[in-house]
Structure formats: structure tokens, C-alpha cells
Amino acid sequence: MGQFTFGPVELYLIGLEGSRPSAGVLDALGELLDAGLVRLLDFVIIAKSDGGEVSVTELETGDDEYGLAGTEMAAIGIAGDDDIEELSELVPPGSSAALVVLELAWARTLSQRFAASGAEVLNVERIPAPVVNGLVDALHGLNEE
């Protein structure tokens, strides 16, 4: 098996205060991009009016209006209309969110190595961080008793 162009991809819907990502959101994303842990594929702003009308803004590579100057996106448009429509239902009326599509760069390498060895990834499960942390806290509480 040759090189994979892309590794596993995750879609993050991030609730925003206002209509654009804050400096903190952009800094957090920038740190991961700079470290090479993820690659930004697509970035979409979803806004929902108080009446429930949805507007979508697809950001472009280097879009300075939203603080992404100098940031390259490797697959603009990969967040499809179906993804956007489904996830827009989670955006409360009168607010906005960023749909950030990230490739897990480290997982691309891992997937390539598995495939090269003849192995096949049959399934991957993701446990959200709050669930893991709550479980570990509960386990530590049990172990301390």
C-alpha cells in the first residue's frame, strides 16, 4: 500500500461567542497546526438567526477577515452540504458556530503503517474527553476509598 493522501478526519462544531472565532480558538487551532498534529482541511461558519434561518460562510485559505491569514486549508469543501445541514441543527437560534474539519496527521502515519504491515483497521471508537475524564475521576474516587 502506498502513501495515504489523507488520514482520519474529524469534524468539530465549536460554539462561538459572536459571529467569528475568538483569538483563543484560533490560537488553540494554530498550536496544533504548527506542531504538525493536525492539518486543517475545511472551515465553515454556521450562523442561525433568532428565527432559525441558517447562513453558511465557507472560509478560504488565508482568509484574514476571520483571523486565518497564512493558514492553508487542504480540502476546502470537504464539509458537505449534508454535514453542514445536520450539524446546523445543533446551533442554537441567535448564535453561530465554526465547523472545523481536521485531518489527524499522526493517525495518517499510523494508518499507513498498519496497511503496509498487511493489517486492516476494522473499527475506531472515540470516547469524548468529558466522558473519559469523568470516568477516570470516578475510578480514582473508588480507588481512594
Side-chain angles (χ1 to χ4, degrees):
M1 179 117 228
Q3 296 287 325
F4 288 0
T5 303
F6 294 97
V9 171
E10 293 188 350
L11 283 71
Y12 286 83
L13 186 65
I14 304 161
L16 303 175
E17 292 183 17
S19 61
R20 60 189 60 244
S22 68
V25 168
L26 295 173
D27 289 345
L29 183 58
E31 287 174 18
L32 294 176
L33 293 169
D34 291 344
L37 296 173
V38 298
R39 180 166 57 157
L40 182 61
L41 302 182
D42 203 1
F43 201 113
V44 178
I45 301 293
I46 301 170
K48 189 179 282 186
S49 71
D50 289 330
E53 183 178 318
V54 174
S55 64
V56 175
T57 304
E58 178 86 34
L59 303 188
E60 300 291 328
T61 292
D63 192 329
D64 194 33
E65 181 182 347
Y66 287 88
L68 296 173
T71 303
E72 182 181 336
M73 286 180 256
I76 294 173
I78 198 168
D81 292 340
D82 290 343
D83 298 318
I84 294 168
E85 184 178 331
E86 180 180 331
L87 292 170
S88 70
E89 293 176 17
L90 301 173
V91 178
S95 64
S96 62
L99 174 55
V100 182
V101 182
L102 298 173
E103 174 201 15
L104 307 178
W106 60 268
R108 178 183 59 229
T109 302
L110 183 62
S111 297
Q112 286 175 170
R113 290 188 180 172
F114 285 156
S117 74
E120 179 181 353
V121 177
L122 298 176
N123 188 37
V124 175
E125 293 290 330
R126 169 155 286 232
I127 303 170
V131 173
V132 173
N133 286 283
L135 179 59
V136 170
D137 289 347
L139 289 172
H140 282 285
L142 290 175
N143 291 334
E144 292 173 2
E145 293 177 3

